[in-house]
Amino acid sequence: MDLTTIWKGCFEAWPADLPRRGVLVTTFDEQIAFQGFMTHAGMVLIERNAPDTTGARKLLVPYQHVAALKIVDPVKGQLFTPMGFQGDLPGG
């Protein structure tokens, strides 16, 4: 499975009980704090927490340029099972 498919599936299967915020890390070495997103066939639309230095609040990122996703809210590991994760983490 290629990374585009994996990241697309991750955003599309985002658990309803997980706030739609975090930090998106791109292959451009950017870390983008976001407070919401929308999915598309080939990219994700990110709503930044605050505008960047050019004043931009929204960012379109092709899935192949997503390097990592940081979850900023304290949540239980079982919350990620809709995304396909299995197993247990300490503390649930």
Side-chain angles (χ1 to χ4, degrees):
M1 189 179 296
D2 68 297
L3 287 177
T4 297
T5 303
I6 292 169
W7 283 117
K8 182 177 186 287
C10 178
F11 282 102
E12 289 179 343
W14 195 273
D17 293 335
L18 180 62
R20 294 171 75 97
R21 63 180 169 240
V23 179
L24 183 76
V25 181
T26 72
T27 58
F28 309 123
D29 293 325
E30 279 189 276
Q31 294 196 29
I32 304 159
F34 67 92
Q35 62 185 9
F37 65 86
M38 296 174 70
T39 60
H40 179 272
M43 64 187 85
V44 62
L45 170 63
I46 298 295
E47 173 80 28
R48 292 178 184 267
N49 291 356
D52 67 7
T53 56
T54 64
R57 285 200 172 267
K58 292 181 176 55
L59 178 68
L60 295 167
V61 180
Y63 292 115
Q64 68 263 26
H65 291 293
V66 176
L69 179 63
K70 297 179 181 183
I71 305 298
V72 297
D73 293 291
V75 294
K76 301 276 186 191
Q78 284 100 8
L79 195 61
F80 295 93
T81 56
M83 291 176 157
F85 289 93
Q86 301 175 359
D88 294 311
L89 292 173

